[in-house]
Amino acid sequence: MQKPELLAPAGDLEKLKFALLYGADAVYVGGTMFGLRANASNFTIEELEEGISFAHHLNKKVYVTVNIALHTKELQMLTEYLKELDRIGVDAIIFNDPAIISIAKQNTDLELHLSTQQSTLNYEAVEFWKQQGVTRIVLGRETTKQEILEIKEHVDIEIECFIHGAMCASYSGRCVLSNFLTARDSNRGGCSQICRWDFDLLDEQLDSLKGEKPFTFCTKDLSLLKYIPDMIDMGITSFKIEGRMRSIYYIATVVDIYRKVIDEYVQQKEIYEYNSEYEKILRNCANRDSVPQFFDTSEGVECQYYNGRIEVSNQDFLGLVLDYQDGYARIEQRNFFKKGDKIEFFGPNKQPIQMIIDEIIDENEQSIEIVRHPRQIVKLAVSSPVSVGDFMRVSK
């Protein structure tokens, strides 16, 4: 059985390092140009070089998104940019515009991964892109399990599928509501997520229709955690997590859970049992419900929020471990906590450590009851060793 690649998002250098340390086999990032996450920090060439060095030292990979809708005036700049990505050792580019194929092949040795922005959903399209020199297809999020099996049966090519994260209310990226309502182009990195707005409903006479809650057509998030064994058996090359704008805590948590499920199934397929406790951890680090969406053909009214929703900001992330010495963990606070709280530490390749806080010491070596100041540095007595980069969260 071939173990699939676990591919994580990274909006900046810190997120890249956390994603790889917590179990991702590769990360996808955006440079300062030609990517679809204009509001992410993104990477300069120098930061890309550092990230690639960090990843390659761990025998892992870095893919760079070059997936905006291109205009003619940008082609010359694009050529030089691709040459630079090739020079610094980028493992592949994720592209959308077909013009990039010839430019990349004539000027670089970059591997070509076709973006989900192309909404590739059938094996004839996959075969076409393979003939153009594409080495991997990132399928549209709307592809079903049966369609993926048919693609695998007809075309020998690497297949990448989204397994977790936000969904697009349109065919991925092909929405122009953002352009019309906010003058921000969703196909060039500026999506303002109009689908998450609340709307008034009007009848044919333009009279307002009043409901219990505001109308919206916001999608719920995607989660294919319980289908990971099926997807491994199908021979999918890469499992992709969405979220370059997400926090280090979100990325580390989601990567950690999917890493566990993949490894548990591959290593113990005969006795594998799905652990529903993992679902709770994923729910607690997100602010929207998640469903399988199109994969199991259950898409429908239950996959979207039509009558309003409540998105509660996650408060589970309490702190980040900066150091551990002589039984004390030095913590950078990220959310309110106090003596008596039940918490746990988690990190890569280890079991969570649960405990009740019975001692807090501030930077002046004074005992305190509550940690309420943003990024306050404190020490906690911890019975078991923790490591730099471990997270402290609420224990459920």
Side-chain angles (χ1 to χ4, degrees), residues 3 5 42 52 76 104 123 130 148 166-167 176 184 208 215 237 271 275 291-292 297-298 332 372 383 388:
K3 185 181 289 190
E5 172 187 86
N42 293 320
I52 290 166
Q76 182 58 41
Y123 65 81
K130 179 181 178 181
I148 298 171
M167 292 286 290
V176 293
R184 288 168 51 182
S208 179
F215 175 79
T237 306
I271 60 172
N275 187 344
V291 292
T297 66
S298 65
E332 181 183 80
R372 56 162 63 98
S383 57
V388 175

Side-chain angles (χ1 to χ4, degrees), residues 212-258:
E212 293 182 4
K213 299 177 181 178
F215 175 79
T216 177
F217 54 99
C218 170
T219 58
K220 295 179 182 178
D221 283 359
L222 168 71
S223 178
L224 293 179
L225 190 69
K226 67 174 63 175
Y227 295 98
I228 290 301
D230 293 339
M231 299 179 78
I232 293 174
D233 290 343
M234 290 163 65
I236 295 169
T237 306
S238 182
F239 294 170
K240 188 171 194 172
I241 298 166
E242 182 274 340
R244 277 188 282 155
M245 300 289 289
R246 300 280 195 165
S247 69
I248 55 171
Y249 174 71
Y250 176 91
I251 292 169
T253 301
V254 174
V255 168
D256 181 63
I257 293 300
Y258 277 96

Side-chain angles (χ1 to χ4, degrees), residues 330-393:
R330 189 163 163 263
I331 307 294
E332 181 183 80
Q333 182 261 26
R334 294 301 176 91
N335 268 305
F336 170 94
F337 60 89
K338 64 185 186 305
K339 286 178 65 173
D341 284 351
K342 185 178 180 181
I343 58 99
E344 70 179 22
F345 292 95
F346 79 99
N349 305 313
K350 65 176 66 173
Q351 292 298 315
I353 300 169
Q354 295 185 339
M355 58 170 277
I356 294 175
I357 300 174
D358 59 11
E359 184 181 12
I360 306 174
I361 299 173
D362 68 13
E363 289 186 286
N364 297 317
E365 297 298 321
Q366 299 297 310
S367 179
I368 59 175
E369 300 288 320
I370 300 172
V371 183
R372 56 162 63 98
H373 304 301
R375 301 209 174 208
Q376 184 176 356
I377 307 299
V378 297
K379 291 193 296 186
L380 304 182
V382 182
S383 57
S384 300
V386 292
S387 304
V388 175
D390 285 358
F391 289 88
M392 173 180 154
R393 67 186 174 198

